[in-house]
Amino acid sequence: MMGGMHYVGYAELAAAVSEAGGLGVITALTQENPEALRQEIRKCRDLTSKPFGVNLTLLPSLKPLDYPGYVRAIVEEDVKIVETAGRSPKDLVPLFKEHGVLITRQCVQRTSSTCRCCHC
């Protein structure tokens, strides 16, 4: 699985990884705004018929980010795999589950082999 990679996680790389047998991932916050993410998702669909996902990193920011808009784009574009990183996505889990989205999680925990931060 390709992890979210800021500034390089575009449709072309995600599609190439998926075409090679991996799971390509578009990095949501590499896109300027939710509409740009929507267009990147559509572009990836044009480039591959294989599954791909979207990385959504949830971090505090000096400049407020339109997280609800990014989530809306993911759900409305029928993306079925979301990788989250940063703070707990527990407030997003019910919405993603309602739309049949599989949630994967980047967890950096040296004391436990499982992530219990979001109960996904």
Side-chain angles (χ1 to χ4, degrees):
M1 178 176 172
M2 173 185 157
M5 294 186 286
H6 204 50
Y7 302 118
V8 295
Y10 289 100
E12 293 86 356
L13 181 58
V17 169
S18 290
E19 284 293 314
L23 179 65
V25 175
I26 295 170
T27 306
L29 298 186
T30 293
Q31 316 310 315
E32 287 185 40
N33 55 53
E35 186 55 33
L37 174 59
R38 183 182 304 277
Q39 295 308 316
E40 204 66 18
I41 292 167
R42 291 176 181 173
K43 185 177 186 179
C44 196
R45 283 222 172 85
D46 288 342
L47 295 171
T48 185
S49 60
K50 309 277 182 171
F52 65 91
V54 172
N55 164 274
L56 184 62
T57 300
L58 305 164
L59 294 174
S61 176
L62 295 175
K63 175 184 158 192
L65 299 172
D66 184 6
Y67 282 113
Y70 284 104
V71 170
R72 209 169 24 258
I74 291 166
V75 169
E76 289 175 359
E77 291 302 317
D78 203 30
V79 173
K80 293 301 182 190
I81 302 166
V82 171
E83 172 201 36
T84 66
R87 72 170 170 79
S88 172
K90 66 182 174 186
D91 55 328
L92 303 176
V93 170
L95 176 67
F96 283 143
K97 284 188 173 183
E98 176 184 328
H99 291 279
V101 177
L102 174 67
I103 305 160
T104 67
R105 179 85 177 133
Q106 285 185 16
C107 288
V108 181
Q109 295 182 347
R110 297 185 186 273
T111 58
S112 173
S113 62
T114 60
C115 175
R116 295 187 181 106
C117 60
C118 60
H119 310 287
C120 38

